[in-house]
Amino acid sequence: MAEAHQAVGFQFTVRPDGLDLKLSKEVIKNIYLSGVTAWKKRAIQFKNGVLAGVYPASPSSWLIVVIAMMSSLYIPFDPSLGMIDALKENLPHRHCMSVQTRAVLSAILFATGLWLFLIYLLRYTLKALLSYHGWIFESHGRMSKCTKMWLSLVKMFSGRRPLLYSFQASLPRLPVPSVDDTIHRYLESVRSLLDSEQYNQMETLANDFKDSLAAQLQRYLILKSWWGTNYVSDWWEEYIYLRGRSPIMVNSNFYIMDLLYVNPTHRQAARAGNVVHAMLQYRRKLERGEHAPLRALGTVPMCSTQMERIFNTTRIPGIETDIVQHLTDRKHLVVYHKGRFFQVWLYTGGRHLLPSELETQFLRILNDTSEPLPGELKLAALTAGNRVPWARARNKYFSQGGNKASLDAIESAAFFLTLDDEAQGYDPTKTKSLDSYAKSLLHGKCYDRWFDKSFTLISYPNGKMGINAEHSWADAPIVGHMWEYVLATDCFHLGYTEEGHCKGDVNKGLPNPTRLQWQIPKECQDAIETSYLSAKQIADDVDFHGYLFTEFGKGLIKKCRCSPDAFIQLALQLAQFRDQRVFCLTYESSMTRMFRDGRTETVRSCTSEAVAFVRAMEDAGATNAQRLALFRKAADKHQNMYRLAMTGSGIDRHLFCLYIVSKYLGIDSPFLTKVLSEPWKLSTSQTPQQQLNLVDINKFPKYVGAGGGFGPVADDGYGVSYIIVGENLITFHISSKFSSPDTDSFRFGQHIGKAMLDIQALFKSENDKKMVEQAKQIQMENGKKHK
């Protein structure tokens, strides 16, 4: 045990002539180095905190202002307009100071005040500039003079070398849309999904709401937007995620896959060692705020708040609601392997364990032949089942003694690692390898992932990796950002030996990983089994299909002068109609991180324009020219909807918050109740790629990720996640339920592929027509020359 290993460094013997102390130099050295590292870390965090706190100014700018004010003491003109003299006459204990001392001190105080004023002026100027969103509505590649001037000003006021949290105070608040605009957009979004009678009923409900309750609820919401940093995010986290009492496995958690084509090593312990070490490097930069903030157009900053809780975070179950527990400076992780839980320390001598040292620790766990304790094998199934039984079991069986200590070790760990015992990963020779891989990441065996941790890192025997992430604390792009850094560091910076081991010397002097101890009574084992059976029923019902579309990708779509996202969304609408023969309410997630504490907004992709295009595609009498014109109109509409959602003018978050206010006030709104109960039968999301640009995928085309996915949202619907990988690949992660007779994930994947090709054929037809017209024109010109 680690504690026993450390204890032998300090021994004493009581003798008649006194106390005989024996100190281990190695232990004392480790304690010293640990203390030095801790103080160094605090110093760096303090320095970076100051740099972020005064941004876009710098500490050195204070000295410049002070020198300028001090210089003014020796010139006839007073730039302080008499304020320095006023300060000089009102200083406490001024009678104890010389005239020169009072003048210098007054100048320093005035300069400091002026400096702080200038910082706030710069921040609010930048905030005002960032509140302008006209640039996002301009056509791609066509930037107006106004936007160019605005972009130059943003660059000028953004300062140099910003840290991760430098822009937080300058980000604008999420605006509250007007009720009229939101209701108008909502009715427009459902017009094509309802018949005339249903639409008239909904329109009546909407107008009644607008004329009666809306103004009162809106006032409270505007007040909240003034008081809080974001009027949506805290309620979204609490009511959409934390208050849900159903299992979070499949229903809420999502997964992210490893590299699609490349496996850096086939040694499980070595790959886990490199990846964990890369995560520790990422965490160190995160704690110091040293990551560069994400910026649209390379200039417009995104909110970084969600990144604070990537590590050291756990969702704690409760009877009525869960809470998110975030700790700081955790120095261990917990590893699960074949039913046993092990605690592994991540530091030695005040530094991170090296990859080779981590490999040694993981090998020790893999080679451990001990058996699980009674109830230990499926213990994590409690996190996969319903939340209330888990909360009750936690309070009853894990609130004291050894069980509490072991549970605290898991919940306070930096993250959770599973050393799986079944190989997974994409294999082009096996038709369902991607399907199996996804299901393993999404739910595993229902008891071999700790679904409450911010994320569970999963390591397979063939060297493949993956992540299962809890959703309440952050959205997929945040985990994706970390995963991109880790994969690039693993493959291009850390590397492996020729034998596939981690580079570096093996340190066999490290203390062995510690087995967590449990005493689980029969009643608790019954609760574990109940949760397991409930989770297994959910997992067995997941119908998953991973589809790699390789016919074309982003490169060809852009040549068609179309947004890749709009292209794919319209292909999904066409596939949905061909699969179900009806249109449905469609959810696409967009981000609102251009605002302080922003998370997501919904884009309602099934627009009237999209419906018209799909009907034209299914109409044998329609020409390709007509279909293409309708496609362009639908794509433009989708792009506009997406841009509105990104700039705070979406529909669903506003209506959701109005509904929450109505519940607080005890007011019943038939309109809001009906809107919030509508099912999303097609739920879609695009996984971001190349957020960091650490790998040139044109130079290394095989080093691309496979993206990630999530479970089906509706019992009779589809969940579709897609990632646009480079120029020639798009991956689709499709989920549904076996229990639904109307859905089939493989069939839907085939419809998506056919829809993509059919839309591409429209542009091919247009290009062929243009080529024919150009050939005729050339022929006519040659004929004229011949005459």
mmCIF file of all heavy atoms in Angstrom, residues 130 133 135-136 163-172 291-307 477-478 481 591-599 646 691:
data_model
loop_
_atom_site.group_PDB
_atom_site.id
_atom_site.type_symbol
_atom_site.label_atom_id
_atom_site.label_comp_id
_atom_site.label_asym_id
_atom_site.label_seq_id
_atom_site.Cartn_x
_atom_site.Cartn_y
_atom_site.Cartn_z
ATOM 1 N N LEU A 130 -17.985 43.031 -29.312
ATOM 2 C CA LEU A 130 -18.355 41.623 -29.443
ATOM 3 C C LEU A 130 -19.867 41.414 -29.463
ATOM 4 O O LEU A 130 -20.332 40.315 -29.779
ATOM 5 C CB LEU A 130 -17.728 40.815 -28.303
ATOM 6 C CG LEU A 130 -16.203 40.737 -28.303
ATOM 7 C CD1 LEU A 130 -15.694 40.001 -27.070
ATOM 8 C CD2 LEU A 130 -15.691 40.045 -29.563
ATOM 9 N N HIS A 133 -23.025 41.188 -34.230
ATOM 10 C CA HIS A 133 -23.007 39.870 -34.872
ATOM 11 C C HIS A 133 -23.373 39.929 -36.356
ATOM 12 O O HIS A 133 -23.716 38.907 -36.954
ATOM 13 C CB HIS A 133 -23.975 38.922 -34.147
ATOM 14 C CG HIS A 133 -23.605 38.664 -32.726
ATOM 15 N ND1 HIS A 133 -24.417 39.007 -31.658
ATOM 16 C CD2 HIS A 133 -22.478 38.140 -32.173
ATOM 17 C CE1 HIS A 133 -23.819 38.685 -30.522
ATOM 18 N NE2 HIS A 133 -22.643 38.160 -30.804
ATOM 19 N N TRP A 135 -21.462 40.204 -38.769
ATOM 20 C CA TRP A 135 -20.487 39.458 -39.574
ATOM 21 C C TRP A 135 -20.928 38.029 -39.852
ATOM 22 O O TRP A 135 -20.629 37.462 -40.908
ATOM 23 C CB TRP A 135 -19.133 39.435 -38.857
ATOM 24 C CG TRP A 135 -19.155 38.750 -37.516
ATOM 25 C CD1 TRP A 135 -19.471 39.311 -36.315
ATOM 26 C CD2 TRP A 135 -18.863 37.378 -37.254
ATOM 27 N NE1 TRP A 135 -19.398 38.376 -35.306
ATOM 28 C CE2 TRP A 135 -19.025 37.182 -35.857
ATOM 29 C CE3 TRP A 135 -18.482 36.302 -38.046
ATOM 30 C CZ2 TRP A 135 -18.821 35.954 -35.251
ATOM 31 C CZ3 TRP A 135 -18.275 35.071 -37.441
ATOM 32 C CH2 TRP A 135 -18.442 34.901 -36.062
ATOM 33 N N ILE A 136 -21.668 37.449 -38.905
ATOM 34 C CA ILE A 136 -22.013 36.036 -39.045
ATOM 35 C C ILE A 136 -23.101 35.826 -40.093
ATOM 36 O O ILE A 136 -23.286 34.717 -40.606
ATOM 37 C CB ILE A 136 -22.443 35.461 -37.676
ATOM 38 C CG1 ILE A 136 -22.217 33.947 -37.635
ATOM 39 C CG2 ILE A 136 -23.889 35.774 -37.359
ATOM 40 C CD1 ILE A 136 -22.394 33.346 -36.264
ATOM 41 N N LEU A 163 -4.680 34.527 -22.384
ATOM 42 C CA LEU A 163 -4.773 33.239 -21.713
ATOM 43 C C LEU A 163 -6.199 32.702 -21.847
ATOM 44 O O LEU A 163 -7.081 33.365 -22.395
ATOM 45 C CB LEU A 163 -4.373 33.379 -20.252
ATOM 46 C CG LEU A 163 -2.919 33.802 -20.004
ATOM 47 C CD1 LEU A 163 -2.705 34.135 -18.536
ATOM 48 C CD2 LEU A 163 -1.955 32.723 -20.452
ATOM 49 N N LEU A 164 -6.423 31.515 -21.312
ATOM 50 C CA LEU A 164 -7.699 30.831 -21.508
ATOM 51 C C LEU A 164 -8.886 31.667 -21.039
ATOM 52 O O LEU A 164 -9.915 31.727 -21.708
ATOM 53 C CB LEU A 164 -7.674 29.485 -20.779
ATOM 54 C CG LEU A 164 -8.937 28.620 -20.900
ATOM 55 C CD1 LEU A 164 -9.202 28.252 -22.349
ATOM 56 C CD2 LEU A 164 -8.803 27.366 -20.045
ATOM 57 N N TYR A 165 -8.741 32.322 -19.877
ATOM 58 C CA TYR A 165 -9.872 33.050 -19.301
ATOM 59 C C TYR A 165 -9.739 34.562 -19.456
ATOM 60 O O TYR A 165 -10.454 35.318 -18.784
ATOM 61 C CB TYR A 165 -10.006 32.694 -17.815
ATOM 62 C CG TYR A 165 -10.186 31.215 -17.572
ATOM 63 C CD1 TYR A 165 -9.205 30.466 -16.914
ATOM 64 C CD2 TYR A 165 -11.319 30.552 -18.003
ATOM 65 C CE1 TYR A 165 -9.364 29.110 -16.692
ATOM 66 C CE2 TYR A 165 -11.489 29.186 -17.794
ATOM 67 C CZ TYR A 165 -10.497 28.473 -17.143
ATOM 68 O OH TYR A 165 -10.663 27.124 -16.935
ATOM 69 N N SER A 166 -8.863 35.015 -20.336
ATOM 70 C CA SER A 166 -8.624 36.453 -20.476
ATOM 71 C C SER A 166 -9.851 37.216 -20.953
ATOM 72 O O SER A 166 -10.063 38.369 -20.570
ATOM 73 C CB SER A 166 -7.460 36.692 -21.443
ATOM 74 O OG SER A 166 -6.244 36.219 -20.910
ATOM 75 N N PHE A 167 -10.667 36.599 -21.794
ATOM 76 C CA PHE A 167 -11.792 37.319 -22.405
ATOM 77 C C PHE A 167 -13.095 37.183 -21.622
ATOM 78 O O PHE A 167 -14.105 37.757 -22.036
ATOM 79 C CB PHE A 167 -12.028 36.817 -23.835
ATOM 80 C CG PHE A 167 -10.950 37.195 -24.803
ATOM 81 C CD1 PHE A 167 -10.108 36.232 -25.340
ATOM 82 C CD2 PHE A 167 -10.766 38.506 -25.192
ATOM 83 C CE1 PHE A 167 -9.109 36.566 -26.239
ATOM 84 C CE2 PHE A 167 -9.763 38.859 -26.088
ATOM 85 C CZ PHE A 167 -8.941 37.883 -26.617
ATOM 86 N N GLN A 168 -13.095 36.406 -20.532
ATOM 87 C CA GLN A 168 -14.362 36.113 -19.857
ATOM 88 C C GLN A 168 -15.121 37.374 -19.459
ATOM 89 O O GLN A 168 -16.331 37.457 -19.650
ATOM 90 C CB GLN A 168 -14.115 35.241 -18.628
ATOM 91 C CG GLN A 168 -13.668 33.818 -18.941
ATOM 92 C CD GLN A 168 -14.686 33.059 -19.767
ATOM 93 O OE1 GLN A 168 -14.506 32.845 -20.961
ATOM 94 N NE2 GLN A 168 -15.777 32.663 -19.148
ATOM 95 N N ALA A 169 -14.417 38.350 -18.900
ATOM 96 C CA ALA A 169 -15.084 39.571 -18.439
ATOM 97 C C ALA A 169 -15.538 40.456 -19.591
ATOM 98 O O ALA A 169 -16.340 41.379 -19.389
ATOM 99 C CB ALA A 169 -14.149 40.357 -17.515
ATOM 100 N N SER A 170 -15.042 40.198 -20.791
ATOM 101 C CA SER A 170 -15.385 41.030 -21.954
ATOM 102 C C SER A 170 -16.479 40.416 -22.818
ATOM 103 O O SER A 170 -16.920 41.054 -23.787
ATOM 104 C CB SER A 170 -14.139 41.277 -22.811
ATOM 105 O OG SER A 170 -13.132 41.912 -22.066
ATOM 106 N N LEU A 171 -16.897 39.196 -22.502
ATOM 107 C CA LEU A 171 -17.924 38.563 -23.308
ATOM 108 C C LEU A 171 -19.289 39.163 -22.993
ATOM 109 O O LEU A 171 -19.629 39.386 -21.828
ATOM 110 C CB LEU A 171 -17.958 37.057 -23.044
ATOM 111 C CG LEU A 171 -16.744 36.257 -23.528
ATOM 112 C CD1 LEU A 171 -16.851 34.807 -23.068
ATOM 113 C CD2 LEU A 171 -16.625 36.311 -25.042
ATOM 114 N N PRO A 172 -20.109 39.415 -24.013
ATOM 115 C CA PRO A 172 -21.448 39.971 -23.749
ATOM 116 C C PRO A 172 -22.377 38.928 -23.124
ATOM 117 O O PRO A 172 -22.108 37.733 -23.189
ATOM 118 C CB PRO A 172 -21.935 40.363 -25.148
ATOM 119 C CG PRO A 172 -21.178 39.481 -26.088
ATOM 120 C CD PRO A 172 -19.838 39.240 -25.444
ATOM 121 N N HIS A 291 -4.018 27.424 -21.759
ATOM 122 C CA HIS A 291 -4.537 27.098 -23.087
ATOM 123 C C HIS A 291 -4.982 28.387 -23.776
ATOM 124 O O HIS A 291 -5.505 29.306 -23.132
ATOM 125 C CB HIS A 291 -5.726 26.149 -22.988
ATOM 126 C CG HIS A 291 -5.360 24.759 -22.582
ATOM 127 N ND1 HIS A 291 -4.662 23.904 -23.407
ATOM 128 C CD2 HIS A 291 -5.584 24.062 -21.443
ATOM 129 C CE1 HIS A 291 -4.479 22.749 -22.800
ATOM 130 N NE2 HIS A 291 -5.021 22.825 -21.603
ATOM 131 N N ALA A 292 -4.792 28.434 -25.085
ATOM 132 C CA ALA A 292 -5.274 29.592 -25.840
ATOM 133 C C ALA A 292 -6.793 29.519 -25.944
ATOM 134 O O ALA A 292 -7.354 28.447 -26.163
ATOM 135 C CB ALA A 292 -4.645 29.607 -27.233
ATOM 136 N N PRO A 293 -7.498 30.636 -25.779
ATOM 137 C CA PRO A 293 -8.958 30.608 -25.911
ATOM 138 C C PRO A 293 -9.363 30.334 -27.359
ATOM 139 O O PRO A 293 -8.681 30.763 -28.299
ATOM 140 C CB PRO A 293 -9.382 32.013 -25.470
ATOM 141 C CG PRO A 293 -8.175 32.868 -25.705
ATOM 142 C CD PRO A 293 -6.986 31.983 -25.481
ATOM 143 N N LEU A 294 -10.456 29.604 -27.527
ATOM 144 C CA LEU A 294 -10.967 29.363 -28.875
ATOM 145 C C LEU A 294 -11.553 30.651 -29.429
ATOM 146 O O LEU A 294 -12.241 31.391 -28.706
ATOM 147 C CB LEU A 294 -12.043 28.278 -28.857
ATOM 148 C CG LEU A 294 -11.565 26.855 -28.594
ATOM 149 C CD1 LEU A 294 -12.747 25.907 -28.595
ATOM 150 C CD2 LEU A 294 -10.559 26.418 -29.641
ATOM 151 N N ARG A 295 -11.292 30.919 -30.729
ATOM 152 C CA ARG A 295 -11.779 32.164 -31.328
ATOM 153 C C ARG A 295 -12.302 31.914 -32.730
ATOM 154 O O ARG A 295 -11.599 31.331 -33.566
ATOM 155 C CB ARG A 295 -10.677 33.213 -31.350
ATOM 156 C CG ARG A 295 -10.275 33.662 -29.957
ATOM 157 C CD ARG A 295 -9.497 34.954 -29.966
ATOM 158 N NE ARG A 295 -8.069 34.737 -30.081
ATOM 159 C CZ ARG A 295 -7.159 35.697 -30.034
ATOM 160 N NH1 ARG A 295 -7.535 36.949 -29.877
ATOM 161 N NH2 ARG A 295 -5.886 35.432 -30.144
ATOM 162 N N ALA A 296 -13.533 32.339 -32.988
ATOM 163 C CA ALA A 296 -14.101 32.273 -34.331
ATOM 164 C C ALA A 296 -13.397 33.297 -35.213
ATOM 165 O O ALA A 296 -13.066 34.398 -34.754
ATOM 166 C CB ALA A 296 -15.600 32.559 -34.286
ATOM 167 N N LEU A 297 -13.171 32.924 -36.461
ATOM 168 C CA LEU A 297 -12.430 33.762 -37.410
ATOM 169 C C LEU A 297 -11.025 34.066 -36.903
ATOM 170 O O LEU A 297 -10.371 34.970 -37.404
ATOM 171 C CB LEU A 297 -13.160 35.093 -37.670
ATOM 172 C CG LEU A 297 -14.554 35.038 -38.286
ATOM 173 C CD1 LEU A 297 -15.119 36.442 -38.447
ATOM 174 C CD2 LEU A 297 -14.520 34.325 -39.638
ATOM 175 N N GLY A 298 -10.586 33.314 -35.885
ATOM 176 C CA GLY A 298 -9.289 33.571 -35.288
ATOM 177 C C GLY A 298 -9.256 34.822 -34.432
ATOM 178 O O GLY A 298 -8.191 35.224 -33.955
ATOM 179 N N THR A 299 -10.447 35.443 -34.215
ATOM 180 C CA THR A 299 -10.494 36.725 -33.504
ATOM 181 C C THR A 299 -11.587 36.777 -32.444
ATOM 182 O O THR A 299 -11.356 37.247 -31.332
ATOM 183 C CB THR A 299 -10.722 37.878 -34.509
ATOM 184 O OG1 THR A 299 -9.705 37.835 -35.502
ATOM 185 C CG2 THR A 299 -10.703 39.221 -33.805
ATOM 186 N N VAL A 300 -12.792 36.296 -32.756
ATOM 187 C CA VAL A 300 -13.943 36.435 -31.853
ATOM 188 C C VAL A 300 -13.860 35.350 -30.777
ATOM 189 O O VAL A 300 -13.968 34.160 -31.085
ATOM 190 C CB VAL A 300 -15.273 36.325 -32.628
ATOM 191 C CG1 VAL A 300 -16.454 36.545 -31.686
ATOM 192 C CG2 VAL A 300 -15.294 37.326 -33.777
ATOM 193 N N PRO A 301 -13.683 35.710 -29.503
ATOM 194 C CA PRO A 301 -13.457 34.704 -28.458
ATOM 195 C C PRO A 301 -14.717 33.946 -28.064
ATOM 196 O O PRO A 301 -15.830 34.457 -28.154
ATOM 197 C CB PRO A 301 -12.940 35.541 -27.282
ATOM 198 C CG PRO A 301 -13.545 36.890 -27.486
ATOM 199 C CD PRO A 301 -13.625 37.087 -28.980
ATOM 200 N N MET A 302 -14.509 32.697 -27.630
ATOM 201 C CA MET A 302 -15.579 31.840 -27.121
ATOM 202 C C MET A 302 -15.445 31.705 -25.600
ATOM 203 O O MET A 302 -14.347 31.763 -25.062
ATOM 204 C CB MET A 302 -15.492 30.444 -27.760
ATOM 205 C CG MET A 302 -15.572 30.448 -29.271
ATOM 206 S SD MET A 302 -17.213 30.852 -29.838
ATOM 207 C CE MET A 302 -16.885 31.246 -31.552
ATOM 208 N N CYS A 303 -16.568 31.486 -24.941
ATOM 209 C CA CYS A 303 -16.555 31.326 -23.491
ATOM 210 C C CYS A 303 -15.841 30.028 -23.101
ATOM 211 O O CYS A 303 -16.029 28.985 -23.732
ATOM 212 C CB CYS A 303 -17.988 31.314 -22.956
ATOM 213 S SG CYS A 303 -18.085 31.131 -21.172
ATOM 214 N N SER A 304 -15.040 30.108 -22.050
ATOM 215 C CA SER A 304 -14.250 28.947 -21.596
ATOM 216 C C SER A 304 -14.727 28.400 -20.253
ATOM 217 O O SER A 304 -14.049 27.549 -19.662
ATOM 218 C CB SER A 304 -12.767 29.349 -21.481
ATOM 219 O OG SER A 304 -12.261 29.828 -22.706
ATOM 220 N N THR A 305 -15.868 28.856 -19.763
ATOM 221 C CA THR A 305 -16.323 28.470 -18.428
ATOM 222 C C THR A 305 -16.456 26.960 -18.265
ATOM 223 O O THR A 305 -16.073 26.387 -17.230
ATOM 224 C CB THR A 305 -17.668 29.142 -18.118
ATOM 225 O OG1 THR A 305 -17.508 30.558 -18.163
ATOM 226 C CG2 THR A 305 -18.171 28.751 -16.743
ATOM 227 N N GLN A 306 -17.006 26.285 -19.273
ATOM 228 C CA GLN A 306 -17.265 24.847 -19.146
ATOM 229 C C GLN A 306 -15.982 24.044 -18.929
ATOM 230 O O GLN A 306 -16.025 22.951 -18.342
ATOM 231 C CB GLN A 306 -17.977 24.327 -20.391
ATOM 232 C CG GLN A 306 -19.370 24.892 -20.601
ATOM 233 C CD GLN A 306 -20.023 24.324 -21.845
ATOM 234 O OE1 GLN A 306 -20.204 23.122 -21.992
ATOM 235 N NE2 GLN A 306 -20.381 25.197 -22.783
ATOM 236 N N MET A 307 -14.858 24.566 -19.391
ATOM 237 C CA MET A 307 -13.611 23.813 -19.309
ATOM 238 C C MET A 307 -13.115 23.662 -17.870
ATOM 239 O O MET A 307 -12.298 22.791 -17.580
ATOM 240 C CB MET A 307 -12.545 24.488 -20.174
ATOM 241 C CG MET A 307 -12.937 24.562 -21.642
ATOM 242 S SD MET A 307 -11.738 25.418 -22.658
ATOM 243 C CE MET A 307 -10.449 24.192 -22.751
ATOM 244 N N PRO A 477 -18.209 19.589 -27.423
ATOM 245 C CA PRO A 477 -16.997 20.271 -27.906
ATOM 246 C C PRO A 477 -15.929 20.469 -26.835
ATOM 247 O O PRO A 477 -14.740 20.520 -27.157
ATOM 248 C CB PRO A 477 -17.532 21.624 -28.411
ATOM 249 C CG PRO A 477 -18.953 21.357 -28.765
ATOM 250 C CD PRO A 477 -19.428 20.354 -27.765
ATOM 251 N N ILE A 478 -16.328 20.552 -25.574
ATOM 252 C CA ILE A 478 -15.358 20.746 -24.491
ATOM 253 C C ILE A 478 -14.513 19.480 -24.327
ATOM 254 O O ILE A 478 -13.280 19.537 -24.249
ATOM 255 C CB ILE A 478 -16.082 21.090 -23.179
ATOM 256 C CG1 ILE A 478 -16.963 22.334 -23.364
ATOM 257 C CG2 ILE A 478 -15.074 21.295 -22.057
ATOM 258 C CD1 ILE A 478 -16.229 23.559 -23.813
ATOM 259 N N HIS A 481 -12.243 19.044 -27.322
ATOM 260 C CA HIS A 481 -11.051 19.904 -27.267
ATOM 261 C C HIS A 481 -9.926 19.198 -26.511
ATOM 262 O O HIS A 481 -8.777 19.128 -26.969
ATOM 263 C CB HIS A 481 -11.422 21.223 -26.587
ATOM 264 C CG HIS A 481 -10.321 22.229 -26.515
ATOM 265 N ND1 HIS A 481 -9.364 22.222 -25.521
ATOM 266 C CD2 HIS A 481 -10.012 23.295 -27.320
ATOM 267 C CE1 HIS A 481 -8.531 23.232 -25.706
ATOM 268 N NE2 HIS A 481 -8.898 23.900 -26.787
ATOM 269 N N MET A 591 -24.067 26.040 -30.796
ATOM 270 C CA MET A 591 -23.465 26.581 -29.574
ATOM 271 C C MET A 591 -23.773 28.077 -29.432
ATOM 272 O O MET A 591 -23.966 28.785 -30.409
ATOM 273 C CB MET A 591 -21.959 26.318 -29.570
ATOM 274 C CG MET A 591 -21.181 27.023 -30.657
ATOM 275 S SD MET A 591 -20.600 28.647 -30.144
ATOM 276 C CE MET A 591 -19.835 29.256 -31.641
ATOM 277 N N THR A 592 -23.793 28.530 -28.170
ATOM 278 C CA THR A 592 -23.969 29.960 -27.877
ATOM 279 C C THR A 592 -22.788 30.465 -27.053
ATOM 280 O O THR A 592 -22.944 31.307 -26.175
ATOM 281 C CB THR A 592 -25.282 30.213 -27.101
ATOM 282 O OG1 THR A 592 -25.283 29.397 -25.916
ATOM 283 C CG2 THR A 592 -26.480 29.874 -27.945
ATOM 284 N N ARG A 593 -21.616 29.948 -27.329
ATOM 285 C CA ARG A 593 -20.438 30.264 -26.524
ATOM 286 C C ARG A 593 -19.788 31.604 -26.883
ATOM 287 O O ARG A 593 -18.770 31.965 -26.311
ATOM 288 C CB ARG A 593 -19.408 29.139 -26.628
ATOM 289 C CG ARG A 593 -19.840 27.880 -25.888
ATOM 290 C CD ARG A 593 -18.878 26.741 -26.115
ATOM 291 N NE ARG A 593 -17.541 27.059 -25.652
ATOM 292 C CZ ARG A 593 -16.444 26.464 -26.093
ATOM 293 N NH1 ARG A 593 -16.520 25.521 -27.024
ATOM 294 N NH2 ARG A 593 -15.264 26.797 -25.620
ATOM 295 N N MET A 594 -20.398 32.352 -27.804
ATOM 296 C CA MET A 594 -19.937 33.723 -28.013
ATOM 297 C C MET A 594 -20.433 34.631 -26.890
ATOM 298 O O MET A 594 -20.054 35.802 -26.823
ATOM 299 C CB MET A 594 -20.409 34.250 -29.368
ATOM 300 C CG MET A 594 -19.695 33.606 -30.541
ATOM 301 S SD MET A 594 -20.018 34.398 -32.115
ATOM 302 C CE MET A 594 -21.754 34.057 -32.322
ATOM 303 N N PHE A 595 -21.295 34.067 -26.014
ATOM 304 C CA PHE A 595 -21.807 34.801 -24.865
ATOM 305 C C PHE A 595 -21.254 34.208 -23.572
ATOM 306 O O PHE A 595 -20.900 33.030 -23.517
ATOM 307 C CB PHE A 595 -23.337 34.766 -24.849
ATOM 308 C CG PHE A 595 -23.967 35.327 -26.091
ATOM 309 C CD1 PHE A 595 -24.379 34.498 -27.119
ATOM 310 C CD2 PHE A 595 -24.129 36.695 -26.234
ATOM 311 C CE1 PHE A 595 -24.947 35.014 -28.263
ATOM 312 C CE2 PHE A 595 -24.696 37.218 -27.385
ATOM 313 C CZ PHE A 595 -25.103 36.383 -28.398
ATOM 314 N N ARG A 596 -21.233 34.986 -22.521
ATOM 315 C CA ARG A 596 -20.719 34.550 -21.223
ATOM 316 C C ARG A 596 -21.541 33.361 -20.712
ATOM 317 O O ARG A 596 -22.766 33.410 -20.670
ATOM 318 C CB ARG A 596 -20.785 35.720 -20.231
ATOM 319 C CG ARG A 596 -20.211 35.409 -18.849
ATOM 320 C CD ARG A 596 -18.714 35.477 -18.878
ATOM 321 N NE ARG A 596 -18.145 35.205 -17.557
ATOM 322 C CZ ARG A 596 -17.840 36.151 -16.666
ATOM 323 N NH1 ARG A 596 -18.054 37.419 -16.948
ATOM 324 N NH2 ARG A 596 -17.310 35.826 -15.511
ATOM 325 N N ASP A 597 -20.865 32.284 -20.333
ATOM 326 C CA ASP A 597 -21.472 31.063 -19.804
ATOM 327 C C ASP A 597 -22.452 30.415 -20.783
ATOM 328 O O ASP A 597 -23.362 29.699 -20.374
ATOM 329 C CB ASP A 597 -22.201 31.348 -18.479
ATOM 330 C CG ASP A 597 -21.244 31.729 -17.371
ATOM 331 O OD1 ASP A 597 -20.027 31.506 -17.540
ATOM 332 O OD2 ASP A 597 -21.690 32.268 -16.345
ATOM 333 N N GLY A 598 -22.278 30.656 -22.075
ATOM 334 C CA GLY A 598 -23.180 30.082 -23.075
ATOM 335 C C GLY A 598 -22.956 28.594 -23.252
ATOM 336 O O GLY A 598 -21.840 28.090 -23.110
ATOM 337 N N ARG A 599 -24.037 27.879 -23.562
ATOM 338 C CA ARG A 599 -23.941 26.442 -23.821
ATOM 339 C C ARG A 599 -24.492 26.136 -25.209
ATOM 340 O O ARG A 599 -23.770 26.211 -26.197
ATOM 341 C CB ARG A 599 -24.658 25.635 -22.728
ATOM 342 C CG ARG A 599 -23.894 25.647 -21.406
ATOM 343 C CD ARG A 599 -24.312 24.587 -20.436
ATOM 344 N NE ARG A 599 -24.096 23.225 -20.913
ATOM 345 C CZ ARG A 599 -24.103 22.154 -20.137
ATOM 346 N NH1 ARG A 599 -24.330 22.278 -18.832
ATOM 347 N NH2 ARG A 599 -23.901 20.953 -20.628
ATOM 348 N N MET A 646 -27.080 30.868 -32.900
ATOM 349 C CA MET A 646 -25.760 31.178 -32.356
ATOM 350 C C MET A 646 -25.689 32.572 -31.743
ATOM 351 O O MET A 646 -24.913 32.814 -30.814
ATOM 352 C CB MET A 646 -24.695 31.066 -33.454
ATOM 353 C CG MET A 646 -24.366 29.659 -33.880
ATOM 354 S SD MET A 646 -23.080 29.637 -35.145
ATOM 355 C CE MET A 646 -21.685 30.287 -34.240
ATOM 356 N N GLN A 691 -10.383 21.667 -33.579
ATOM 357 C CA GLN A 691 -10.520 22.875 -32.770
ATOM 358 C C GLN A 691 -9.164 23.487 -32.452
ATOM 359 O O GLN A 691 -9.042 24.696 -32.267
ATOM 360 C CB GLN A 691 -11.244 22.552 -31.456
ATOM 361 C CG GLN A 691 -12.678 22.088 -31.627
ATOM 362 C CD GLN A 691 -13.365 21.888 -30.283
ATOM 363 O OE1 GLN A 691 -13.703 22.834 -29.588
ATOM 364 N NE2 GLN A 691 -13.575 20.633 -29.913
#
